[in-house]
Amino acid sequence: MNFEDYQYLFKFVLIGDTGVGKSCFLSQYVKGKFIQEYDPTIGLEFESKSIEFNDGIVVQNQLWDTSGSSQFMAIQKTFCQNAAAAIVFYKIDNQNSFKSLENWLSILKQVSSDMIQIVIVATHQDLETQRQVQTQQGRNLADSLNAKFYEISNHDKDQIDGIVNSLSYNVLRLINSNKINPLNTQYGIKMSRQQEQQYASQLDNSEENIIQQQSSPKRRGSDIKIEQNTFSPNKITTASPSRSQHENEQTEQNQQQTKPKFQLLFILLPIIIAYGLYQILL
């Protein structure tokens, strides 16, 4: 697979004290090689590895490893910026490395986005007899961060692959669910040019659909219906045909009863007037 043959590139950072196994983890993931001798990282380094998911999406995981020494603190803060995920390390046989996680997590909080994916990894699982940090301590810390927790041996490449690939899947899921925007560099994601064009096209189509829904005929029709119900007497009349017919019949009956009374009045009125005049003349 070519270096540029991917749809997405994710930036992952490996952080923790010196000697907790970050470089060995990186070597096992990318090269499948276990580092026998401890060789502290000076400054920082990174390696890349691409994986293909079942739907054909190719993701290149770019893992950045930095020295855990305090003299490289400025570099550590800089390289933690704009990361999609962070793998935070401590050793089960070193209590101080576990206590230092508070500082490492504080750095992440200062420079990373709220959507960064975090996993806590306890190394040297094969040194159980020298354990200083209990499993539950690490799990409780991970739970407080809503993060995954793993205890591993850096000899176990399959477990290491599973951790990184699971992180890639989670970041990809956030993109597909529109919870993060891959065009925003703060999320530690880079897209290939083709994927970027496709994503931008999808955004345009989504905006068009929203506009169409807001001005759709169905919605205008409902507004017209409300206006008719409010202002159209014809609409109200036709809604109760039986009642209307009864009211018409009652009106006609009342008119028929009133008509004879008016006719009799017109006949008697001249007689009454003539009788009154006759009495005055007498």
Side-chain angles (χ1 to χ4, degrees):
M1 183 175 295
N2 297 328
F3 183 78
E4 295 293 339
D5 188 14
Y6 62 84
Q7 278 81 41
Y8 296 97
L9 184 149
F10 297 155
K11 176 185 176 182
F12 295 164
V13 294
L14 281 56
I15 59 176
D17 282 359
T18 298
V20 291
K22 301 186 299 295
S23 297
C24 189
F25 183 98
L26 179 61
S27 177
Q28 277 281 42
Y29 177 68
V30 177
K31 303 174 182 177
K33 180 180 178 181
F34 178 76
I35 299 176
Q36 296 288 343
E37 297 182 0
Y38 171 60
D39 185 16
T41 301
I42 298 177
L44 62 88
E45 61 182 25
F46 75 89
E47 298 280 358
S48 298
K49 181 179 178 180
S50 295
I51 58 172
E52 182 174 356
F53 291 94
N54 292 334
D55 57 1
I57 296 296
V58 177
V59 172
Q60 184 178 122
N61 295 318
Q62 192 177 85
L63 277 65
W64 290 72
D65 176 25
T66 186
S67 171
S69 175
S70 59
Q71 62 181 315
F72 295 106
M73 185 61 66
I75 296 177
Q76 293 159 1
K77 286 185 177 182
T78 300
F79 102 106
C80 282
Q81 291 178 348
N82 303 331
I87 307 175
V88 189
F89 293 83
Y90 72 91
K91 296 195 300 182
I92 69 168
D93 58 330
N94 188 322
Q95 181 70 36
N96 289 332
S97 70
F98 180 75
K99 291 180 179 178
S100 294
L101 294 188
E102 182 178 352
N103 294 330
W104 290 110
L105 292 170
S106 176
I107 291 174
L108 277 181
K109 186 176 182 181
Q110 293 172 27
V111 300
S112 63
S113 75
D114 293 338
M115 299 302 294
I116 188 172
Q117 300 297 293
I118 299 175
V119 297
I120 305 296
V121 173
T123 61
H124 292 193
Q125 188 184 39
D126 48 315
L127 300 180
E128 180 64 34
T129 57
Q130 302 176 38
R131 179 185 288 273
Q132 296 181 12
V133 183
Q134 299 303 312
T135 301
Q136 194 59 45
Q137 290 179 265
R139 184 169 288 116
N140 289 342
L141 174 63
D143 289 344
S144 70
L145 301 169
N146 195 26
K148 295 287 187 180
F149 171 74
Y150 302 92
E151 274 193 358
I152 69 168
S153 166
N154 279 344
H155 291 276
D156 192 343
K157 174 173 169 51
D158 290 340
Q159 192 175 22
I160 290 172
D161 287 350
I163 292 172
V164 180
N165 294 345
S166 177
L167 274 175
S168 295
Y169 175 78
N170 289 339
V171 175
L172 194 59
R173 185 175 58 179
L174 291 174
I175 295 173
N176 292 335
S177 61
N178 296 321
K179 292 184 178 179
I180 59 177
N181 181 358
L183 297 175
N184 191 331
T185 58
Q186 71 168 320
Y187 296 120
I189 299 166
K190 178 183 176 182
M191 291 188 290
S192 65
R193 181 172 299 180
Q194 181 179 0
Q195 186 67 23
E196 185 174 336
Q197 291 173 349
Q198 181 178 343
Y199 184 82
S201 177
Q202 290 175 350
L203 286 181
D204 292 341
N205 291 336
S206 298
E207 291 175 357
E208 263 185 49
N209 290 335
I210 293 173
I211 294 172
Q212 288 176 358
Q213 290 174 3
Q214 290 176 344
S215 59
S216 64
K218 183 177 180 180
R219 184 168 183 176
R220 290 199 303 269
S222 63
D223 293 340
I224 293 171
K225 185 177 180 180
I226 293 172
E227 292 175 0
Q228 288 176 340
N229 288 338
T230 306
F231 301 111
S232 173
N234 292 334
K235 185 74 175 179
I236 298 174
T237 302
T238 56
S240 304
S242 59
R243 182 177 177 181
S244 175
Q245 182 177 359
H246 176 73
E247 289 175 352
N248 291 338
E249 291 176 354
Q250 185 67 35
T251 301
E252 291 178 359
Q253 184 178 357
N254 293 338
Q255 289 175 349
Q256 291 175 357
Q257 292 176 356
T258 306
K259 188 174 181 180
K261 295 179 180 179
F262 279 105
Q263 291 176 345
L264 180 60
L265 180 62
F266 289 140
I267 295 172
L268 293 177
L269 185 59
I271 298 174
I272 294 172
I273 293 173
Y275 178 78
L277 290 174
Y278 174 75
Q279 291 294 327
I280 293 173
L281 293 175
L282 292 175

